[in-house]
Amino acid sequence: MRKLLSLTLLALASTSAFAGGYRVSLQGQKQLAMGHTGVAVVNSAEVMFFNPAGISFLEDKFNASIGGNLLFAETKFQNETYNWQSSTENMGTPFNIYASYKINKWLSAGIAVYTPYGSEVEWEKDWQGSHLVNRIDLKAIYIQPTVSFKVNDAFAIGGGPIYVIGSVEFNKNLNRSLSDESGNRSDVSLDANGINAWGYAAGFMLNPCKEMRLGVNYRSEIIMEARGGMATFHEVPAFAQETFSNTTFNADLPLPAELTAGLSLNLTDKWMIAFDYNRTMWSAYKSLDIDFDNKVPTSVNPRNYQNTNTYRVGTQYIATDKFTFRAGWYKDESPIESGYFAPETPRNDSMGYTGGLTYQINKNLGVDASFLYLHFDEIDASYDHYQETTLVNGQPVTSTIPFGGTYKSTVFSPGVGVTYSF
């Protein structure tokens, strides 16, 4: 069983996000505008994320794309039985940088920097679900040196190692009622910076005819191992301070593997459509555990994520020498099973609607814009694995206490970037 960020005393959780699990699908303005398709699309250095083999088929010797998004996420929670209401509004700033260079006819190289995982959720302090999470901020930056070998005009392979730099901050109350002598609720903050790990990406691209491309890409699982992170306890009553003293902790967090296959079709010289299928191996996320270096017991919080599918379709139309328009749609399945819906990842199945355009300033320089609207159906869900220990007739008794209600989430993200080539 994977050991992950968690606290048990009674339970600590982590993560959240804007696609399935804590995945953030915003890795390029052109491709996002086309439903985030791209494993068989070659139109800029953005292809390095979607399929590193694709840089062999870029026309220019040098290609660069830089872009970023503003990500606005809102979740509303309500439990009519207990008249509980709360909401969280958060903003993220994912970015991407790609540059490739054609060394000779058969060898191309490049560098990609992007942020495919991360999330920030901040509920009102001491809200009804504060024993599960008050705040979570997870960051992961991927750095991917890339090479691609053009076997012939129809086939290329590519890939490279991935170095990940990450950090996590997490805060929750110690349980549903513990407070200090002044009535302030007791909580704990976890802070781990400078986490790093290695993985890899590999893919191939095949052009069976002039009008069609096929592509397959695999990005490996990466385990973020937090070692020696700081655990800081606040507002702990005197009788519990010996147990809940500041200390360090160890924890692991998986960034799951992803397999993508797809194709693109040039219906005319100006009109292209693309289809991608993603399989994300979320089953790597079994549990969220935290090992403390003092008397605080190790926490084990089951997650039991399941593998998911994402279906994408996009289109691009070159209207003039100056303007290219794009649109897309995708369906993204949630990895969270019934009974495991925790408020640090309040996301269920979603539909993504995208669009955007490129304005070509001159032959070498263009400005790209995109937008994403992510729609989640309202869902009644709960987390049924939180355990709390209380004294009954002087004896400790551990009970499993569910927390749930109705969640409604929306996400909107505008983005802008520039593309330069020569």
Side-chain angles (χ1 to χ4, degrees):
M1 177 183 289
R2 297 286 186 198
K3 282 188 172 183
L4 287 206
L5 239 12
S6 99
L7 209 189
T8 317
L9 182 212
L10 313 172
L12 231 183
S14 102
T15 73
S16 157
F18 317 104
Y22 34 93
R23 177 78 163 85
V24 181
S25 295
L26 296 168
Q27 276 70 62
Q29 303 307 315
K30 286 185 170 68
Q31 305 323 136
L32 174 61
M34 296 177 62
H36 214 250
T37 58
V39 72
V41 176
V42 179
N43 57 13
S44 73
E46 291 178 6
V47 71
M48 216 175 312
F49 167 81
F50 296 88
N51 188 343
I55 60 174
S56 282
F57 296 117
L58 289 169
E59 293 182 357
D60 293 324
K61 195 175 188 66
F62 175 81
N63 296 268
S65 294
I66 300 173
N69 287 72
L70 293 176
L71 188 59
F72 302 97
E74 179 182 22
T75 298
K76 295 181 179 179
F77 168 81
Q78 182 176 24
N79 184 310
E80 293 185 350
T81 301
Y82 300 104
N83 195 28
W84 293 342
Q85 293 187 25
S86 190
S87 64
T88 174
E89 298 181 4
N90 303 280
M91 185 182 78
T93 55
F95 66 92
N96 50 79
I97 303 170
Y98 307 101
S100 68
Y101 184 75
K102 198 180 297 292
I103 298 172
N104 54 43
K105 290 184 178 180
W106 58 270
L107 179 62
S108 298
I111 183 77
V113 181
Y114 50 89
T115 54
Y117 291 96
S119 75
E120 182 174 1
V121 172
E122 185 168 7
W123 295 92
E124 183 181 357
K125 189 83 167 65
D126 299 333
W127 72 297
Q128 292 82 3
S130 60
H131 56 290
L132 297 175
V133 61
N134 280 314
R135 180 177 185 273
I136 172 73
D137 186 3
L138 169 68
K139 294 183 174 67
I141 300 174
Y142 279 43
I143 303 171
Q144 178 190 311
T146 303
V147 294
S148 178
F149 300 93
K150 189 175 184 180
V151 179
N152 53 46
D153 289 342
F155 184 70
I157 59 175
I162 296 173
Y163 179 65
V164 183
I165 303 171
S167 65
V168 62
E169 297 176 26
F170 184 82
N171 176 270
K172 70 172 282 291
N173 288 358
L174 291 181
N175 61 29
R176 295 180 302 154
S177 58
L178 188 66
S179 61
D180 66 9
E181 288 73 11
S182 299
N184 300 309
R185 296 286 301 279
S186 305
D187 67 85
V188 60
S189 296
L190 300 179
D191 189 352
N193 295 296
I195 308 169
N196 55 73
W198 287 92
Y200 66 91
F204 72 83
M205 188 172 287
L206 174 66
N207 308 324
C209 61
K210 180 181 176 182
E211 292 78 18
M212 177 185 292
R213 292 187 194 275
L214 305 173
V216 173
N217 185 61
Y218 178 77
R219 191 170 300 101
S220 71
E221 174 185 300
I222 296 175
I223 304 297
M224 301 295 287
E225 299 179 346
R227 297 291 179 267
M230 288 303 302
T232 306
F233 295 87
H234 311 99
E235 280 76 52
V236 177
F239 74 87
Q241 289 181 359
E242 183 177 355
T243 299
F244 299 111
S245 59
N246 297 345
T247 186
T248 57
F249 71 91
N250 297 327
D252 294 350
L253 179 68
L255 307 179
E258 186 174 287
L259 177 67
T260 305
L263 64 87
S264 65
L265 293 170
N266 292 312
L267 300 179
T268 69
D269 291 340
K270 296 184 176 182
W271 186 19
M272 178 181 66
I273 58 174
F275 306 91
D276 276 15
Y277 164 75
N278 301 108
R279 178 73 170 173
T280 306
M281 316 313 175
W282 281 111
S283 60
Y285 193 13
K286 299 294 186 186
S287 181
L288 182 58
D289 304 339
I290 296 180
D291 293 331
F292 294 93
D293 293 329
N294 62 2
K295 297 179 181 178
V296 177
T298 298
S299 171
V300 178
N301 292 315
R303 287 294 178 266
N304 288 330
Y305 273 24
Q306 59 185 349
N307 295 336
T308 61
N309 304 306
T310 305
Y311 307 93
R312 305 177 185 277
V313 59
T315 187
Q316 170 182 283
Y317 184 74
I318 303 172
T320 68
D321 291 340
K322 290 291 186 181
F323 286 98
T324 298
F325 297 97
R326 303 180 181 89
W329 168 90
Y330 64 84
K331 179 180 180 180
D332 188 17
E333 298 177 348
S334 170
I336 305 170
E337 295 189 79
S338 176
Y340 292 89
F341 201 95
E344 84 274 4
T345 47
R347 303 287 183 267
N348 56 325
D349 294 349
S350 62
M351 297 278 191
Y353 303 88
T354 70
L357 59 85
T358 292
Y359 175 70
Q360 200 67 35
I361 297 174
N362 54 44
K363 178 183 177 183
N364 304 107
L365 180 64
V367 177
D368 308 310
S370 70
F371 73 87
L372 162 69
Y373 172 71
L374 208 51
H375 172 75
F376 300 83
D377 290 334
E378 187 174 281
I379 184 172
D380 295 320
S382 62
Y383 183 72
D384 301 336
H385 302 276
Y386 170 77
Q387 292 188 325
E388 191 167 281
T389 300
T390 57
L391 294 178
V392 178
N393 297 324
Q395 299 298 317
V397 176
T398 300
S399 304
T400 300
I401 302 167
F403 175 82
T406 301
Y407 293 86
K408 176 65 175 177
S409 301
T410 58
V411 170
F412 176 72
S413 177
V416 66
V418 295
T419 299
Y420 182 76
S421 63
F422 60 85

